Amino acid sequence: AASMRAGTLCARQQRSLQRGRKVWKVAAAATDDEVDAQDAQLAESLAQRTLEALDFDFVIQKLRGNCYTKMAQEMCGNYANLMANTAEEARELYREVQELTLLEDDDVSLAEPLDIVGPIEEAKRGVVLEQPQLAQVARSIELMLKMRTGLVNASDRGVAIPHLLDISGEMDLPEEILDALLGSFDEAGELSDKKYPEIVLMRRRIQEIEREGLAKMREILSSGRYRKMMADDGYVQYGGTLTLAIKASEIGKVGGNIIDESRSGRMVYVEPPELAGNGAELKATQTELKFKIRRILGQMSLAITHAADPMMVCLKACARIDLARARLFLGEDMEGDIPEVGEEGVIIARRARNPCLLLRRGNRVVGYRLELGTWCQGLILSGPNAGGKTVVLKTLGLFALLARCGIPVPAGEGARVDFFSVVLAEVGDMQTIVEDLSTYSAHLVAARIILRQT
């Protein structure tokens, strides 16, 4: 009897081990804590398997495709934040969707991703942002303020959108960032001539100096004073400096500034002495312009650093509205309606249609009546193979998940989908979540987990 205790091998097992066969030890009975830990692990696996079995990922992929902003797209990937935790939160999500149906297209206009989290983080680290990054941040701020203004104007017209107004109230940015970036760039992403006239004047002066230099160079070439010393006709421009190609043997007769020479050393590129003053003024003005622009970009970057936190709050508010609009669009794609959301575990659908089939096939999907939780607490489906039983089960599960996400459900008018804190499904081969068990045993374990979770 002692040889059969847990962790020991009997004589027969020892002989089998000597012959190279696999030997299984007799395991001791698992404790309650071990069973609870195993069930918790299996429950997590079953929850993930449920989302896959119900094709919930496919629905969320479509939801993400309806989002414009980068942050809203990222929200779709975080199911914990995407789904409501209470029935009231689910109703709140639906109220946002309902209010969006009252607005005109121009009230909430978004056509760009507002992908400026990266530049904001760089500015917080003390990095001076490049001009294209700052132009992108400025454009994003303009779009966020436009959204807020559109919602306020809609409310002033008498449109009842209290929940959307509460969200837009979070789009409040400090004056420092508004003064630094609004109106600072033109449509091409260049510094605005209107806001920075001194930049315009300096650029014009650079153009004038360049024109004067070209006129002097043409006069030099037409005079022929360096013709015999030149190794090539015409002039060459090196980094804004106008030069002549002079024979190396004649360099002493020309003077001027040597800029470069050919590989063979037989030809030297020289700035003629007549252009020395012009070239020096050009370089000095270009350097001054460069430092002035850098100083402006530095001031903008510093303003972003100071306003980093409120800018992130503003971005999240825009993403919430964008996500609400994506839920509305997805509901329209599925011909869905906003259901009543209760807390009694009731589902009533007079024309339930599977969301995934609708998104794949359009409106060519047959509807059916579903009722659960009123006079019946369970639903038994029977019928032949390929008769649609699994589709009905998946539809029920998807309705519960869509309600938690605030997505209109294709359940017909007057639908009700209550809040379910736990949605678990056992569809198909459950051996993928419970190893080393037969299919039947795995189903029993999954059923136990579902009963304990609910």
Side-chain angles (χ1 to χ4, degrees):
S3 65
M4 295 303 293
R5 288 198 300 267
T8 65
L9 298 177
C10 66
R12 179 177 55 81
Q13 289 175 318
Q14 291 175 349
R15 288 194 299 271
S16 297
L17 185 61
Q18 291 172 355
R19 290 197 297 269
R21 296 177 182 175
K22 182 182 291 186
V23 174
W24 297 99
K25 293 184 179 181
V26 179
T31 65
D32 290 342
D33 290 341
E34 290 172 338
V35 172
D36 290 342
Q38 183 186 39
D39 279 5
Q41 183 178 2
L42 293 176
E44 183 179 351
S45 178
L46 181 59
Q48 180 59 39
R49 169 69 182 250
T50 295
L51 300 180
E52 297 172 1
L54 298 180
D55 297 320
F56 185 65
D57 289 342
F58 175 76
V59 176
I60 297 306
Q61 178 184 354
K62 295 295 184 180
L63 178 68
R64 184 183 293 110
N66 285 324
C67 296
Y68 280 104
T69 64
K70 181 70 175 295
M71 188 172 289
Q73 293 172 359
E74 292 174 350
M75 288 179 177
C76 293
N78 188 339
Y79 292 166
N81 294 330
L82 184 65
M83 296 185 188
N85 294 314
T86 64
E88 180 56 32
E89 287 183 11
R91 291 189 285 265
E92 183 79 12
L93 294 177
Y94 276 130
R95 291 186 191 108
E96 295 171 5
V97 174
Q98 178 62 39
E99 290 179 5
L100 283 169
T101 64
L102 306 176
L103 298 174
E104 300 176 1
D105 291 341
D106 291 340
D107 293 333
V108 184
S109 58
L110 267 180
E112 295 187 22
L114 306 182
D115 186 13
I116 58 173
V117 175
I120 291 175
E121 293 297 331
E122 287 188 38
K124 288 176 65 176
R125 295 195 301 268
V127 177
V128 176
L129 301 181
E130 298 297 328
Q131 187 168 308
Q133 292 176 298
L134 290 164
Q136 181 186 13
V137 173
R139 175 62 177 163
S140 297
I141 290 176
E142 291 173 0
L143 291 174
M144 290 188 288
L145 294 181
K146 182 179 179 181
M147 175 185 287
R148 184 182 69 179
T149 302
L151 292 173
V152 172
N153 291 341
S155 178
D156 292 341
R157 295 198 309 266
V159 183
I161 50 172
H163 300 88
L164 294 179
L165 276 181
D166 287 344
I167 298 175
S168 68
E170 299 175 11
M171 302 180 196
D172 189 19
L173 294 175
E175 289 297 326
E176 179 186 4
I177 190 69
L178 300 181
D179 292 340
L181 288 174
L182 286 186
S184 295
F185 298 91
D186 58 22
E187 292 296 328
E190 298 294 335
L191 289 175
S192 169
D193 294 350
K194 185 177 181 180
K195 189 165 184 177
Y196 301 104
E198 68 277 16
I199 299 295
V200 178
L201 294 176
M202 295 182 70
R203 284 174 175 164
R204 287 177 181 172
R205 180 53 189 156
I206 288 173
Q207 293 173 352
E208 291 175 359
I209 296 172
E210 289 175 340
R211 285 195 297 268
E212 293 171 0
L214 285 174
K216 290 182 180 180
M217 177 59 77
R218 293 191 186 99
E219 190 275 328
I220 291 172
L221 292 175
S222 62
S223 68
R225 70 187 70 148
Y226 299 115
R227 185 174 295 119
K228 294 182 180 180
M229 309 168 197
M230 293 172 60
D232 197 3
D233 295 335
Y235 64 90
V236 179
Q237 192 166 7
Y238 273 92
T241 302
L242 300 175
T243 67
L244 296 174
I246 304 297
K247 299 174 184 176
S249 57
E250 302 289 338
I251 188 63
K253 300 178 182 178
V254 177
N257 300 318
I258 298 176
I259 305 301
D260 201 356
E261 63 179 23
S262 64
R263 290 184 179 180
S264 64
R266 298 177 181 176
M267 187 165 54
V268 179
Y269 297 99
V270 178
E271 179 187 34
E274 295 90 337
L275 292 177
N278 180 274
E281 183 182 2
L282 178 62
K283 289 179 181 178
T285 308
Q286 288 174 334
T287 300
E288 183 182 357
L289 175 61
K290 179 180 178 180
F291 281 123
K292 194 168 190 65
I293 291 176
R294 198 65 181 170
R295 186 165 56 252
I296 292 172
L297 301 185
Q299 292 170 347
M300 292 180 180
S301 300
L302 185 61
I304 293 175
T305 302
H306 294 162
D309 291 340
M311 286 182 69
M312 291 299 297
V313 172
C314 191
L315 281 174
K316 290 177 182 177
C318 283
R320 283 182 58 190
I321 295 176
D322 183 29
L323 186 56
R325 194 172 67 159
R327 297 198 301 268
L328 170 63
F329 292 162
L330 183 60
E332 292 176 346
D333 292 340
M334 299 185 297
E335 299 181 351
D337 295 292
I338 295 177
E340 176 188 352
V341 180
E343 301 179 57
E344 289 78 37
V346 174
I347 293 181
I348 301 175
R350 293 174 173 81
R351 188 168 177 256
R353 291 176 293 170
N354 184 272
C356 296
L357 292 181
L358 284 168
L359 292 172
R360 290 189 177 105
R361 301 180 184 175
N363 57 7
R364 297 174 298 153
V365 178
V366 177
Y368 34 84
R369 181 182 178 87
L370 290 176
E371 188 167 343
L372 187 67
T374 52
W375 57 272
C376 60
Q377 296 300 316
L379 181 65
I380 299 177
L381 299 172
S382 64
N385 291 339
K389 300 186 296 298
T390 302
V391 173
V392 175
L393 286 174
K394 288 186 175 183
T395 301
L396 270 175
L398 275 177
F399 279 8
L401 293 174
L402 293 182
R404 286 191 60 179
C405 295
I407 299 173
V409 295
E413 294 183 1
R416 175 174 174 177
V417 181
D418 281 3
F419 176 84
F420 293 86
S421 59
V422 178
V423 179
L424 295 174
E426 180 188 355
V427 181
D429 184 5
M430 301 309 296
Q431 285 179 302
T432 54
I433 68 163
V434 185
E435 296 179 358
D436 299 328
L437 292 179
S438 66
T439 300
Y440 177 72
S441 299
H443 278 302
L444 291 179
V445 172
R448 184 188 75 210
I449 294 171
I450 291 175
L451 290 173
R452 293 187 66 174
Q453 291 289 311
T454 55

